Amino acid sequence: VQLQASGGGLVQAGGSLRLSCVASGNFVRLTVMAWYRQAPGIPRELLASITSGGTSNYAESVKGRFTISRDNAKNTVYLQMNTLTPEDTAVYLCSADYIDPDTYTRRSLGRGTQVTVSS
């Protein structure tokens, strides 16, 4: 499964961005989709996850500012990011757990999109 993230860019502190991630490839169905971020010298951080039924969970660092959602018909997961701060600067990556044609559960991680927040 390939994951293509988009929507990153340069934004001023206090601004907003909406990230999208589309899954494509050979799978039966997607289950949990999630967003991570990776900044230099900092371990990858799980930000939010969402099940196919719409149940979501958030890291404390983004709770109340970020919202994860998905469109199952489009195999797409979104991350609405509000009230951004320079500390949110990172590469944002999406992941997808999926059932492959052999009924194995697998996970794919995309390359990500850069988000830079200026002060």
Side-chain angles (χ1 to χ4, degrees):
V1 169
Q2 293 77 47
L3 298 170
Q4 182 63 54
S6 60
L10 175 63
V11 63
Q12 288 188 331
S16 299
L17 283 175
R18 188 191 193 212
L19 307 182
S20 301
C21 178
V22 181
S24 62
N26 191 19
F27 58 90
V28 175
R29 66 182 181 92
L30 302 171
T31 56
V32 178
M33 303 185 79
W35 284 98
Y36 295 79
R37 67 185 175 191
Q38 179 83 65
I42 299 175
R44 184 181 302 157
E45 179 184 12
L46 173 61
L47 301 176
S49 64
I50 185 168
T51 67
S52 57
T55 300
S56 58
N57 286 285
Y58 296 91
E60 286 299 320
S61 59
V62 303
K63 194 174 291 185
R65 297 190 301 127
F66 292 9
T67 302
I68 191 171
S69 60
R70 65 191 283 174
D71 185 332
N72 292 329
K74 295 181 179 180
N75 297 323
T76 301
V77 63
Y78 306 96
L79 187 68
Q80 177 66 43
M81 306 186 295
N82 299 326
T83 320
L84 288 163
T85 74
E87 289 69 36
D88 294 315
T89 295
V91 174
Y92 284 68
L93 311 98
C94 61
S95 73
D97 292 349
Y98 63 96
I99 311 298
D100 74 9
D102 295 319
T103 71
Y104 290 109
T105 298
R106 300 187 184 277
R107 174 171 294 172
S108 183
L109 183 67
R111 287 188 175 183
T113 184
Q114 176 71 45
V115 171
T116 303
V117 185
S118 63
S119 57

